Amino acid sequence: MRIITLVIGKKGAGKSKWILEKKDEMLSEGWEKIDAINEADRNTAIFVLKSPIGDVAILNSGSDTHSIIKDFGAFLARHTEVSQIFTAIRPQKVNPRLYLWMKRELNNIEGDVEKRIEL
Protein backbone atom coordinates (compact mmCIF):
# COMPACT_ATOMS: atom_id res chain seq x y z
CA MET A 1 0.00 0.00 0.00
CA ARG A 2 1.19 3.46 -0.89
CA ILE A 3 -0.07 6.79 0.36
CA ILE A 4 -0.23 9.17 -2.61
CA THR A 5 -0.63 12.86 -1.88
CA LEU A 6 -1.67 14.93 -4.89
CA VAL A 7 -0.70 18.59 -4.53
CA ILE A 8 -3.18 20.12 -6.98
CA GLY A 9 -2.99 23.60 -8.44
CA LYS A 10 -2.76 25.74 -11.55
CA LYS A 11 0.58 27.02 -12.84
CA GLY A 12 2.03 29.38 -10.24
CA ALA A 13 -0.23 28.15 -7.42
CA GLY A 14 2.67 27.05 -5.21
CA LYS A 15 2.83 23.30 -5.88
CA SER A 16 6.63 23.22 -6.18
CA LYS A 17 7.00 25.42 -3.11
CA TRP A 18 4.77 23.03 -1.14
CA ILE A 19 6.80 20.00 -2.30
CA LEU A 20 10.14 21.61 -1.45
CA GLU A 21 8.90 22.74 1.98
CA LYS A 22 7.62 19.20 2.67
CA LYS A 23 11.04 17.81 1.71
CA ASP A 24 12.77 20.24 4.09
CA GLU A 25 10.29 19.38 6.87
CA MET A 26 10.93 15.65 6.43
CA LEU A 27 14.71 16.16 6.42
CA SER A 28 14.42 18.15 9.66
CA GLU A 29 12.48 15.22 11.16
CA GLY A 30 15.38 12.84 10.49
CA TRP A 31 14.60 11.57 7.00
CA GLU A 32 17.69 11.06 4.81
CA LYS A 33 18.01 11.86 1.12
CA ILE A 34 18.88 8.64 -0.72
CA ASP A 35 18.34 9.75 -4.33
CA ALA A 36 17.43 12.86 -6.27
CA ILE A 37 17.42 14.37 -9.75
CA ASN A 38 17.20 17.98 -10.88
CA GLU A 39 17.64 19.16 -7.29
CA ALA A 40 18.38 22.75 -8.30
CA ASP A 41 15.37 23.07 -10.63
CA ARG A 42 12.33 23.71 -8.49
CA ASN A 43 10.04 22.88 -11.43
CA THR A 44 11.41 19.37 -12.07
CA ALA A 45 13.09 18.31 -8.81
CA ILE A 46 12.47 14.79 -7.55
CA PHE A 47 13.69 13.56 -4.17
CA VAL A 48 13.69 10.14 -2.54
CA LEU A 49 13.88 10.19 1.25
CA LYS A 50 14.20 7.39 3.80
CA SER A 51 12.88 7.67 7.35
CA PRO A 52 14.80 6.51 10.42
CA ILE A 53 12.50 3.45 10.56
CA GLY A 54 12.97 2.61 6.87
CA ASP A 55 9.92 4.13 5.18
CA VAL A 56 10.68 5.55 1.73
CA ALA A 57 9.02 8.61 0.21
CA ILE A 58 9.32 10.26 -3.18
CA LEU A 59 8.58 13.95 -3.69
CA ASN A 60 8.03 15.31 -7.21
CA SER A 61 7.66 18.98 -8.09
CA GLY A 62 7.22 18.56 -11.86
CA SER A 63 3.84 18.59 -13.61
CA ASP A 64 4.22 21.08 -16.48
CA THR A 65 4.78 18.88 -19.56
CA HIS A 66 4.27 15.35 -20.80
CA SER A 67 8.03 14.72 -20.88
CA ILE A 68 8.49 15.91 -17.27
CA ILE A 69 5.66 13.63 -16.16
CA LYS A 70 7.08 10.65 -18.12
CA ASP A 71 10.51 11.23 -16.54
CA PHE A 72 8.89 11.16 -13.11
CA GLY A 73 7.11 7.91 -13.99
CA ALA A 74 10.39 6.30 -15.05
CA PHE A 75 12.09 7.49 -11.86
CA LEU A 76 9.19 6.22 -9.74
CA ALA A 77 9.34 2.81 -11.46
CA ARG A 78 12.96 2.43 -10.29
CA HIS A 79 11.90 2.95 -6.66
CA THR A 80 9.48 0.10 -5.97
CA GLU A 81 10.10 0.40 -2.22
CA VAL A 82 8.28 3.75 -2.02
CA SER A 83 5.41 3.84 0.49
CA GLN A 84 4.64 7.57 0.25
CA ILE A 85 4.39 9.74 -2.85
CA PHE A 86 3.97 13.51 -2.86
CA THR A 87 3.50 14.96 -6.33
CA ALA A 88 2.48 18.19 -7.96
CA ILE A 89 -0.41 17.74 -10.38
CA ARG A 90 -2.52 20.07 -12.49
CA PRO A 91 -6.26 20.22 -11.81
CA GLN A 92 -8.28 17.95 -14.09
CA LYS A 93 -10.62 20.79 -15.05
CA VAL A 94 -7.74 23.12 -15.98
CA ASN A 95 -5.59 20.68 -17.95
CA PRO A 96 -7.14 17.22 -18.30
CA ARG A 97 -4.22 15.85 -20.35
CA LEU A 98 -1.53 16.72 -17.79
CA TYR A 99 -3.79 15.41 -15.03
CA LEU A 100 -4.43 12.09 -16.78
CA TRP A 101 -0.78 11.64 -17.75
CA MET A 102 0.29 12.06 -14.12
CA LYS A 103 -2.41 9.69 -12.87
CA ARG A 104 -1.22 7.12 -15.43
CA GLU A 105 2.42 7.45 -14.30
CA LEU A 106 1.42 7.01 -10.65
CA ASN A 107 0.08 3.59 -11.64
CA ASN A 108 -2.25 3.27 -8.65
CA ILE A 109 -2.57 -0.27 -7.39
CA GLU A 110 -5.18 -1.89 -5.18
CA GLY A 111 -4.78 -0.68 -1.63
CA ASP A 112 -3.20 2.67 -2.51
CA VAL A 113 -4.64 5.59 -0.57
CA GLU A 114 -4.95 8.92 -2.36
CA LYS A 115 -5.03 12.24 -0.54
CA ARG A 116 -5.57 15.65 -2.13
CA ILE A 117 -4.17 19.04 -1.20
CA GLU A 118 -5.71 21.79 -3.33
CA LEU A 119 -3.81 25.04 -3.67
Side-chain angles (χ1 to χ4, degrees):
M1 176 190 82
R2 303 177 305 174
I3 299 171
I4 301 170
T5 303
L6 304 176
V7 182
I8 305 167
K10 298 177 184 178
K11 186 168 183 71
K15 298 178 304 296
S16 293
K17 179 181 178 196
W18 191 97
I19 293 289
L20 296 173
E21 287 176 352
K22 182 66 175 176
K23 182 238 342 157
D24 291 342
E25 174 188 323
M26 292 171 79
L27 290 171
S28 74
E29 293 171 350
W31 291 68
E32 172 189 359
K33 181 177 68 171
I34 59 172
D35 197 3
I37 59 171
N38 303 330
E39 292 180 66
D41 183 355
R42 67 180 287 118
N43 295 314
T44 62
I46 304 173
F47 300 92
V48 181
L49 307 179
K50 188 171 189 175
S51 78
I53 61 169
D55 292 333
V56 177
I58 191 166
L59 297 95
N60 171 52
S61 68
S63 66
D64 290 340
T65 67
H66 190 231
S67 63
I68 289 170
I69 292 168
K70 296 242 357 135
D71 289 347
F72 167 64
F75 191 80
L76 178 60
R78 293 194 313 263
H79 290 281
T80 58
E81 75 281 20
V82 167
S83 61
Q84 295 181 55
I85 300 169
F86 299 90
T87 188
I89 188 170
R90 292 294 175 85
Q92 187 172 13
K93 290 179 182 177
V94 172
N95 195 320
R97 285 186 179 174
L98 289 176
Y99 180 87
L100 291 173
W101 289 333
M102 181 61 79
K103 293 288 284 181
R104 187 177 307 131
E105 294 301 329
L106 287 168
N107 193 26
N108 286 17
I109 54 177
E110 188 174 336
D112 282 352
V113 174
E114 193 172 279
K115 297 180 179 182
R116 300 168 64 88
I117 296 173
E118 300 199 28
L119 302 178

mmCIF file of all heavy atoms in Angstrom, residues 24-65:
data_model
loop_
_atom_site.group_PDB
_atom_site.id
_atom_site.type_symbol
_atom_site.label_atom_id
_atom_site.label_comp_id
_atom_site.label_asym_id
_atom_site.label_seq_id
_atom_site.Cartn_x
_atom_site.Cartn_y
_atom_site.Cartn_z
ATOM 1 N N ASP A 24 11.974 19.652 3.009
ATOM 2 C CA ASP A 24 12.768 20.243 4.090
ATOM 3 C C ASP A 24 12.234 19.835 5.462
ATOM 4 O O ASP A 24 13.006 19.554 6.384
ATOM 5 C CB ASP A 24 12.799 21.769 3.968
ATOM 6 C CG ASP A 24 13.601 22.243 2.773
ATOM 7 O OD1 ASP A 24 14.411 21.451 2.220
ATOM 8 O OD2 ASP A 24 13.417 23.417 2.364
ATOM 9 N N GLU A 25 10.914 19.799 5.608
ATOM 10 C CA GLU A 25 10.293 19.379 6.866
ATOM 11 C C GLU A 25 10.679 17.931 7.196
ATOM 12 O O GLU A 25 11.040 17.619 8.331
ATOM 13 C CB GLU A 25 8.772 19.503 6.747
ATOM 14 C CG GLU A 25 7.994 18.964 7.929
ATOM 15 C CD GLU A 25 6.495 18.946 7.654
ATOM 16 O OE1 GLU A 25 5.973 19.870 6.996
ATOM 17 O OE2 GLU A 25 5.849 17.988 8.109
ATOM 18 N N MET A 26 10.604 17.065 6.204
ATOM 19 C CA MET A 26 10.930 15.654 6.429
ATOM 20 C C MET A 26 12.411 15.493 6.781
ATOM 21 O O MET A 26 12.749 14.725 7.688
ATOM 22 C CB MET A 26 10.561 14.819 5.198
ATOM 23 C CG MET A 26 9.050 14.744 4.987
ATOM 24 S SD MET A 26 8.561 14.001 3.426
ATOM 25 C CE MET A 26 8.784 12.261 3.815
ATOM 26 N N LEU A 27 13.284 16.227 6.094
ATOM 27 C CA LEU A 27 14.708 16.163 6.422
ATOM 28 C C LEU A 27 14.957 16.622 7.853
ATOM 29 O O LEU A 27 15.766 16.024 8.577
ATOM 30 C CB LEU A 27 15.528 16.992 5.430
ATOM 31 C CG LEU A 27 15.633 16.436 4.010
ATOM 32 C CD1 LEU A 27 16.283 17.460 3.083
ATOM 33 C CD2 LEU A 27 16.395 15.114 3.991
ATOM 34 N N SER A 28 14.245 17.655 8.292
ATOM 35 C CA SER A 28 14.420 18.153 9.661
ATOM 36 C C SER A 28 13.890 17.160 10.698
ATOM 37 O O SER A 28 14.278 17.214 11.863
ATOM 38 C CB SER A 28 13.744 19.519 9.838
ATOM 39 O OG SER A 28 12.337 19.397 9.888
ATOM 40 N N GLU A 29 13.021 16.249 10.271
ATOM 41 C CA GLU A 29 12.483 15.223 11.160
ATOM 42 C C GLU A 29 13.334 13.950 11.159
ATOM 43 O O GLU A 29 12.950 12.942 11.762
ATOM 44 C CB GLU A 29 11.050 14.876 10.756
ATOM 45 C CG GLU A 29 10.070 16.013 10.969
ATOM 46 C CD GLU A 29 8.695 15.739 10.369
ATOM 47 O OE1 GLU A 29 8.518 14.752 9.617
ATOM 48 O OE2 GLU A 29 7.781 16.539 10.667
ATOM 49 N N GLY A 30 14.474 13.977 10.466
ATOM 50 C CA GLY A 30 15.382 12.840 10.494
ATOM 51 C C GLY A 30 15.383 11.966 9.256
ATOM 52 O O GLY A 30 16.111 10.977 9.184
ATOM 53 N N TRP A 31 14.559 12.305 8.256
ATOM 54 C CA TRP A 31 14.603 11.567 6.999
ATOM 55 C C TRP A 31 15.940 11.865 6.321
ATOM 56 O O TRP A 31 16.519 12.930 6.512
ATOM 57 C CB TRP A 31 13.460 11.986 6.087
ATOM 58 C CG TRP A 31 12.094 11.572 6.550
ATOM 59 C CD1 TRP A 31 11.420 12.041 7.645
ATOM 60 C CD2 TRP A 31 11.226 10.611 5.940
ATOM 61 N NE1 TRP A 31 10.195 11.434 7.741
ATOM 62 C CE2 TRP A 31 10.044 10.554 6.706
ATOM 63 C CE3 TRP A 31 11.336 9.810 4.812
ATOM 64 C CZ2 TRP A 31 8.984 9.718 6.379
ATOM 65 C CZ3 TRP A 31 10.271 8.979 4.477
ATOM 66 C CH2 TRP A 31 9.114 8.932 5.265
ATOM 67 N N GLU A 32 16.425 10.927 5.514
ATOM 68 C CA GLU A 32 17.695 11.061 4.814
ATOM 69 C C GLU A 32 17.451 11.012 3.303
ATOM 70 O O GLU A 32 16.684 10.179 2.830
ATOM 71 C CB GLU A 32 18.601 9.902 5.229
ATOM 72 C CG GLU A 32 19.872 9.768 4.466
ATOM 73 C CD GLU A 32 20.606 8.477 4.801
ATOM 74 O OE1 GLU A 32 20.138 7.688 5.636
ATOM 75 O OE2 GLU A 32 21.656 8.263 4.180
ATOM 76 N N LYS A 33 18.114 11.883 2.579
ATOM 77 C CA LYS A 33 18.005 11.859 1.119
ATOM 78 C C LYS A 33 18.815 10.677 0.601
ATOM 79 O O LYS A 33 20.011 10.555 0.893
ATOM 80 C CB LYS A 33 18.512 13.160 0.509
ATOM 81 C CG LYS A 33 18.393 13.209 -1.000
ATOM 82 C CD LYS A 33 18.826 14.539 -1.569
ATOM 83 C CE LYS A 33 20.308 14.706 -1.366
ATOM 84 N NZ LYS A 33 20.887 15.838 -2.037
ATOM 85 N N ILE A 34 18.160 9.794 -0.171
ATOM 86 C CA ILE A 34 18.877 8.636 -0.719
ATOM 87 C C ILE A 34 18.997 8.695 -2.242
ATOM 88 O O ILE A 34 19.773 7.937 -2.826
ATOM 89 C CB ILE A 34 18.244 7.298 -0.269
ATOM 90 C CG1 ILE A 34 16.782 7.185 -0.699
ATOM 91 C CG2 ILE A 34 18.400 7.114 1.235
ATOM 92 C CD1 ILE A 34 16.161 5.814 -0.456
ATOM 93 N N ASP A 35 18.255 9.576 -2.879
ATOM 94 C CA ASP A 35 18.341 9.749 -4.328
ATOM 95 C C ASP A 35 17.661 11.064 -4.683
ATOM 96 O O ASP A 35 16.791 11.539 -3.945
ATOM 97 C CB ASP A 35 17.661 8.588 -5.059
ATOM 98 C CG ASP A 35 18.061 8.466 -6.527
ATOM 99 O OD1 ASP A 35 18.921 9.247 -6.991
ATOM 100 O OD2 ASP A 35 17.511 7.585 -7.212
ATOM 101 N N ALA A 36 18.059 11.626 -5.797
ATOM 102 C CA ALA A 36 17.434 12.858 -6.273
ATOM 103 C C ALA A 36 17.876 13.119 -7.705
ATOM 104 O O ALA A 36 18.945 12.667 -8.122
ATOM 105 C CB ALA A 36 17.824 14.047 -5.388
ATOM 106 N N ILE A 37 17.036 13.840 -8.438
ATOM 107 C CA ILE A 37 17.423 14.367 -9.746
ATOM 108 C C ILE A 37 16.896 15.795 -9.845
ATOM 109 O O ILE A 37 15.915 16.154 -9.203
ATOM 110 C CB ILE A 37 16.915 13.509 -10.925
ATOM 111 C CG1 ILE A 37 15.393 13.384 -10.925
ATOM 112 C CG2 ILE A 37 17.573 12.149 -10.943
ATOM 113 C CD1 ILE A 37 14.836 12.729 -12.181
ATOM 114 N N ASN A 38 17.589 16.589 -10.620
ATOM 115 C CA ASN A 38 17.196 17.983 -10.878
ATOM 116 C C ASN A 38 16.981 18.772 -9.584
ATOM 117 O O ASN A 38 16.075 19.607 -9.506
ATOM 118 C CB ASN A 38 15.930 18.050 -11.736
ATOM 119 C CG ASN A 38 16.070 17.332 -13.058
ATOM 120 O OD1 ASN A 38 17.157 17.244 -13.606
ATOM 121 N ND2 ASN A 38 14.983 16.792 -13.562
ATOM 122 N N GLU A 39 17.820 18.538 -8.606
ATOM 123 C CA GLU A 39 17.642 19.164 -7.291
ATOM 124 C C GLU A 39 17.580 20.684 -7.344
ATOM 125 O O GLU A 39 16.853 21.294 -6.562
ATOM 126 C CB GLU A 39 18.783 18.758 -6.345
ATOM 127 C CG GLU A 39 18.765 17.318 -5.971
ATOM 128 C CD GLU A 39 19.901 16.959 -5.039
ATOM 129 O OE1 GLU A 39 19.894 17.470 -3.893
ATOM 130 O OE2 GLU A 39 20.774 16.186 -5.448
ATOM 131 N N ALA A 40 18.321 21.290 -8.241
ATOM 132 C CA ALA A 40 18.382 22.752 -8.297
ATOM 133 C C ALA A 40 17.248 23.374 -9.105
ATOM 134 O O ALA A 40 17.072 24.583 -9.088
ATOM 135 C CB ALA A 40 19.729 23.190 -8.883
ATOM 136 N N ASP A 41 16.465 22.556 -9.797
ATOM 137 C CA ASP A 41 15.374 23.067 -10.629
ATOM 138 C C ASP A 41 14.046 22.846 -9.918
ATOM 139 O O ASP A 41 13.492 21.749 -9.948
ATOM 140 C CB ASP A 41 15.373 22.375 -11.991
ATOM 141 C CG ASP A 41 14.296 22.907 -12.931
ATOM 142 O OD1 ASP A 41 13.478 23.760 -12.506
ATOM 143 O OD2 ASP A 41 14.263 22.459 -14.088
ATOM 144 N N ARG A 42 13.535 23.866 -9.303
ATOM 145 C CA ARG A 42 12.327 23.715 -8.491
ATOM 146 C C ARG A 42 11.127 23.204 -9.286
ATOM 147 O O ARG A 42 10.189 22.678 -8.728
ATOM 148 C CB ARG A 42 11.987 25.023 -7.776
ATOM 149 C CG ARG A 42 11.566 26.151 -8.685
ATOM 150 C CD ARG A 42 11.239 27.435 -7.938
ATOM 151 N NE ARG A 42 9.980 27.333 -7.229
ATOM 152 C CZ ARG A 42 9.847 27.433 -5.898
ATOM 153 N NH1 ARG A 42 10.892 27.679 -5.154
ATOM 154 N NH2 ARG A 42 8.674 27.326 -5.335
ATOM 155 N N ASN A 43 11.163 23.324 -10.616
ATOM 156 C CA ASN A 43 10.037 22.884 -11.434
ATOM 157 C C ASN A 43 10.120 21.430 -11.878
ATOM 158 O O ASN A 43 9.153 20.911 -12.438
ATOM 159 C CB ASN A 43 9.901 23.787 -12.663
ATOM 160 C CG ASN A 43 9.554 25.198 -12.266
ATOM 161 O OD1 ASN A 43 8.677 25.423 -11.441
ATOM 162 N ND2 ASN A 43 10.258 26.160 -12.834
ATOM 163 N N THR A 44 11.266 20.773 -11.660
ATOM 164 C CA THR A 44 11.413 19.372 -12.068
ATOM 165 C C THR A 44 12.125 18.520 -11.028
ATOM 166 O O THR A 44 12.488 17.380 -11.309
ATOM 167 C CB THR A 44 12.170 19.256 -13.410
ATOM 168 O OG1 THR A 44 13.487 19.794 -13.260
ATOM 169 C CG2 THR A 44 11.433 19.967 -14.532
ATOM 170 N N ALA A 45 12.348 19.048 -9.840
ATOM 171 C CA ALA A 45 13.085 18.310 -8.809
ATOM 172 C C ALA A 45 12.303 17.087 -8.327
ATOM 173 O O ALA A 45 11.078 17.132 -8.184
ATOM 174 C CB ALA A 45 13.376 19.227 -7.621
ATOM 175 N N ILE A 46 13.042 16.004 -8.118
ATOM 176 C CA ILE A 46 12.475 14.786 -7.548
ATOM 177 C C ILE A 46 13.435 14.308 -6.456
ATOM 178 O O ILE A 46 14.642 14.217 -6.693
ATOM 179 C CB ILE A 46 12.294 13.675 -8.594
ATOM 180 C CG1 ILE A 46 11.441 14.155 -9.775
ATOM 181 C CG2 ILE A 46 11.675 12.437 -7.949
ATOM 182 C CD1 ILE A 46 11.372 13.156 -10.919
ATOM 183 N N PHE A 47 12.895 14.012 -5.297
ATOM 184 C CA PHE A 47 13.694 13.556 -4.167
ATOM 185 C C PHE A 47 13.149 12.233 -3.646
ATOM 186 O O PHE A 47 11.936 12.038 -3.599
ATOM 187 C CB PHE A 47 13.645 14.576 -3.020
ATOM 188 C CG PHE A 47 14.166 15.924 -3.391
ATOM 189 C CD1 PHE A 47 13.316 16.903 -3.872
ATOM 190 C CD2 PHE A 47 15.516 16.220 -3.274
ATOM 191 C CE1 PHE A 47 13.785 18.157 -4.224
ATOM 192 C CE2 PHE A 47 16.002 17.464 -3.638
ATOM 193 C CZ PHE A 47 15.133 18.441 -4.111
ATOM 194 N N VAL A 48 14.062 11.363 -3.225
ATOM 195 C CA VAL A 48 13.685 10.139 -2.538
ATOM 196 C C VAL A 48 14.302 10.216 -1.149
ATOM 197 O O VAL A 48 15.514 10.421 -1.007
ATOM 198 C CB VAL A 48 14.180 8.868 -3.272
ATOM 199 C CG1 VAL A 48 13.745 7.618 -2.526
ATOM 200 C CG2 VAL A 48 13.678 8.838 -4.705
ATOM 201 N N LEU A 49 13.448 10.085 -0.138
ATOM 202 C CA LEU A 49 13.882 10.188 1.253
ATOM 203 C C LEU A 49 13.562 8.895 1.991
ATOM 204 O O LEU A 49 12.567 8.232 1.696
ATOM 205 C CB LEU A 49 13.172 11.354 1.946
ATOM 206 C CG LEU A 49 13.243 12.735 1.281
ATOM 207 C CD1 LEU A 49 12.471 13.752 2.105
ATOM 208 C CD2 LEU A 49 14.674 13.179 1.074
ATOM 209 N N LYS A 50 14.401 8.580 2.976
ATOM 210 C CA LYS A 50 14.196 7.386 3.795
ATOM 211 C C LYS A 50 14.113 7.812 5.262
ATOM 212 O O LYS A 50 14.958 8.559 5.749
ATOM 213 C CB LYS A 50 15.347 6.400 3.596
ATOM 214 C CG LYS A 50 15.121 5.061 4.255
ATOM 215 C CD LYS A 50 16.200 4.088 3.821
ATOM 216 C CE LYS A 50 15.867 2.696 4.293
ATOM 217 N NZ LYS A 50 16.848 1.724 3.761
ATOM 218 N N SER A 51 13.086 7.322 5.950
ATOM 219 C CA SER A 51 12.878 7.674 7.355
ATOM 220 C C SER A 51 13.812 6.855 8.246
ATOM 221 O O SER A 51 14.355 5.830 7.814
ATOM 222 C CB SER A 51 11.425 7.418 7.757
ATOM 223 O OG SER A 51 11.219 6.033 7.983
ATOM 224 N N PRO A 52 13.967 7.280 9.494
ATOM 225 C CA PRO A 52 14.799 6.510 10.424
ATOM 226 C C PRO A 52 14.306 5.067 10.635
ATOM 227 O O PRO A 52 15.088 4.202 10.998
ATOM 228 C CB PRO A 52 14.708 7.314 11.725
ATOM 229 C CG PRO A 52 14.393 8.707 11.295
ATOM 230 C CD PRO A 52 13.523 8.550 10.080
ATOM 231 N N ILE A 53 13.009 4.815 10.381
ATOM 232 C CA ILE A 53 12.496 3.452 10.556
ATOM 233 C C ILE A 53 12.405 2.687 9.236
ATOM 234 O O ILE A 53 11.887 1.572 9.188
ATOM 235 C CB ILE A 53 11.135 3.438 11.282
ATOM 236 C CG1 ILE A 53 10.077 4.212 10.486
ATOM 237 C CG2 ILE A 53 11.263 3.984 12.695
ATOM 238 C CD1 ILE A 53 8.659 4.007 11.000
ATOM 239 N N GLY A 54 12.894 3.305 8.142
ATOM 240 C CA GLY A 54 12.973 2.606 6.875
ATOM 241 C C GLY A 54 11.897 2.891 5.850
ATOM 242 O O GLY A 54 11.925 2.328 4.752
ATOM 243 N N ASP A 55 10.927 3.740 6.180
ATOM 244 C CA ASP A 55 9.921 4.125 5.183
ATOM 245 C C ASP A 55 10.597 4.945 4.089
ATOM 246 O O ASP A 55 11.518 5.715 4.359
ATOM 247 C CB ASP A 55 8.808 4.949 5.818
ATOM 248 C CG ASP A 55 7.943 4.148 6.768
ATOM 249 O OD1 ASP A 55 7.845 2.920 6.592
ATOM 250 O OD2 ASP A 55 7.364 4.761 7.685
ATOM 251 N N VAL A 56 10.103 4.814 2.854
ATOM 252 C CA VAL A 56 10.679 5.547 1.731
ATOM 253 C C VAL A 56 9.587 6.402 1.091
ATOM 254 O O VAL A 56 8.479 5.931 0.836
ATOM 255 C CB VAL A 56 11.298 4.594 0.694
ATOM 256 C CG1 VAL A 56 11.821 5.359 -0.511
ATOM 257 C CG2 VAL A 56 12.426 3.779 1.333
ATOM 258 N N ALA A 57 9.943 7.663 0.827
ATOM 259 C CA ALA A 57 9.017 8.609 0.208
ATOM 260 C C ALA A 57 9.673 9.224 -1.017
ATOM 261 O O ALA A 57 10.888 9.422 -1.055
ATOM 262 C CB ALA A 57 8.633 9.707 1.196
ATOM 263 N N ILE A 58 8.848 9.534 -2.009
ATOM 264 C CA ILE A 58 9.320 10.258 -3.184
ATOM 265 C C ILE A 58 8.517 11.548 -3.282
ATOM 266 O O ILE A 58 7.306 11.547 -3.049
ATOM 267 C CB ILE A 58 9.206 9.388 -4.458
ATOM 268 C CG1 ILE A 58 9.936 10.032 -5.634
ATOM 269 C CG2 ILE A 58 7.769 9.096 -4.814
ATOM 270 C CD1 ILE A 58 10.153 9.084 -6.801
ATOM 271 N N LEU A 59 9.213 12.647 -3.571
ATOM 272 C CA LEU A 59 8.578 13.955 -3.694
ATOM 273 C C LEU A 59 8.899 14.509 -5.067
ATOM 274 O O LEU A 59 10.079 14.619 -5.431
ATOM 275 C CB LEU A 59 9.089 14.907 -2.612
ATOM 276 C CG LEU A 59 8.770 14.490 -1.178
ATOM 277 C CD1 LEU A 59 9.930 13.726 -0.575
ATOM 278 C CD2 LEU A 59 8.436 15.689 -0.336
ATOM 279 N N ASN A 60 7.877 14.852 -5.830
ATOM 280 C CA ASN A 60 8.030 15.307 -7.208
ATOM 281 C C ASN A 60 7.395 16.682 -7.381
ATOM 282 O O ASN A 60 6.219 16.858 -7.101
ATOM 283 C CB ASN A 60 7.359 14.309 -8.160
ATOM 284 C CG ASN A 60 7.282 14.828 -9.570
ATOM 285 O OD1 ASN A 60 8.280 15.249 -10.139
ATOM 286 N ND2 ASN A 60 6.090 14.820 -10.133
ATOM 287 N N SER A 61 8.195 17.626 -7.885
ATOM 288 C CA SER A 61 7.657 18.979 -8.087
ATOM 289 C C SER A 61 7.216 19.232 -9.524
ATOM 290 O O SER A 61 6.631 20.262 -9.809
ATOM 291 C CB SER A 61 8.702 20.019 -7.684
ATOM 292 O OG SER A 61 9.795 19.995 -8.584
ATOM 293 N N GLY A 62 7.486 18.315 -10.447
ATOM 294 C CA GLY A 62 7.222 18.563 -11.860
ATOM 295 C C GLY A 62 5.870 18.085 -12.351
ATOM 296 O O GLY A 62 5.493 16.939 -12.111
ATOM 297 N N SER A 63 5.148 18.966 -13.055
ATOM 298 C CA SER A 63 3.844 18.585 -13.610
ATOM 299 C C SER A 63 3.498 19.407 -14.846
ATOM 300 O O SER A 63 2.360 19.416 -15.284
ATOM 301 C CB SER A 63 2.744 18.758 -12.562
ATOM 302 O OG SER A 63 2.580 20.131 -12.229
ATOM 303 N N ASP A 64 4.493 20.084 -15.436
ATOM 304 C CA ASP A 64 4.219 21.081 -16.479
ATOM 305 C C ASP A 64 4.130 20.536 -17.904
ATOM 306 O O ASP A 64 3.494 21.166 -18.748
ATOM 307 C CB ASP A 64 5.275 22.182 -16.456
ATOM 308 C CG ASP A 64 5.156 23.065 -15.234
ATOM 309 O OD1 ASP A 64 4.077 23.086 -14.616
ATOM 310 O OD2 ASP A 64 6.141 23.736 -14.892
ATOM 311 N N THR A 65 4.788 19.407 -18.197
ATOM 312 C CA THR A 65 4.778 18.884 -19.563
ATOM 313 C C THR A 65 4.704 17.361 -19.543
ATOM 314 O O THR A 65 4.999 16.721 -18.527
ATOM 315 C CB THR A 65 6.050 19.285 -20.342
ATOM 316 O OG1 THR A 65 7.173 18.627 -19.760
ATOM 317 C CG2 THR A 65 6.264 20.788 -20.366
#
